[in-house]
Amino acid sequence: QVQLVESGGGLVQAGGSLRLSCAASGNIFSINVMGWYRQAPGKQRELVAQITRGGSINYADSVKGRFTMTRDTAKNTVYLQMNSLKPEDTAVYYCNTISIALSVYWGQGTQVTVSS
């Protein structure tokens, strides 16, 4: 099993920046892909960015050019650098991972609020 802990959320003004982090522990060698999702009130959870074991990254169209996902394999941690934040980015952001055995794990979520 894998445990995920997110941090870095907060309240920022439009145009500002935040960096989220997600630290993985447990059976880290079972990790296949890791991703960032977000969910706003009344809306379904959506994929923000995802990185494969080989380092390939894909982003949602709504965040391309503004958000950057990176990883530090030595620290078993992934990051989401969020720049040029907009009010529509307001959501709870979740880290997730899919294991080699296709099990899915989620972090507890961290709130990001962008004011106008």
Side-chain angles (χ1 to χ4, degrees):
Q1 62 183 42
V2 178
Q3 293 80 44
L4 304 171
V5 179
E6 303 105 329
S7 62
L11 173 64
V12 298
Q13 296 184 67
S17 298
L18 284 173
R19 189 178 76 155
L20 308 182
S21 64
C22 172
S25 61
N27 188 16
I28 58 174
F29 292 102
S30 73
I31 293 174
N32 187 19
V33 299
M34 295 190 71
W36 286 100
Y37 287 72
R38 66 186 182 187
Q39 187 167 24
K43 297 183 179 180
Q44 62 185 5
R45 192 170 299 184
E46 64 176 350
L47 176 68
V48 176
Q50 188 176 73
I51 186 168
T52 69
R53 194 165 186 167
S56 179
I57 304 172
N58 67 86
Y59 297 92
D61 288 340
S62 59
V63 307
K64 286 181 179 178
R66 299 189 298 119
F67 292 10
T68 303
M69 185 177 184
T70 58
R71 68 178 177 184
D72 185 335
T73 56
K75 297 181 179 179
N76 301 312
T77 301
V78 295
Y79 305 90
L80 186 67
Q81 178 67 46
M82 305 185 294
N83 299 324
S84 301
L85 283 162
K86 305 174 181 179
E88 51 263 45
D89 295 318
T90 295
V92 177
Y93 284 70
Y94 297 90
C95 180
N96 97 316
T97 185
I98 304 173
S99 73
I100 294 173
L102 301 183
S103 297
V104 181
Y105 302 92
W106 294 93
Q108 81 287 350
T110 185
Q111 176 71 47
V112 172
T113 303
V114 184
S115 62
S116 300

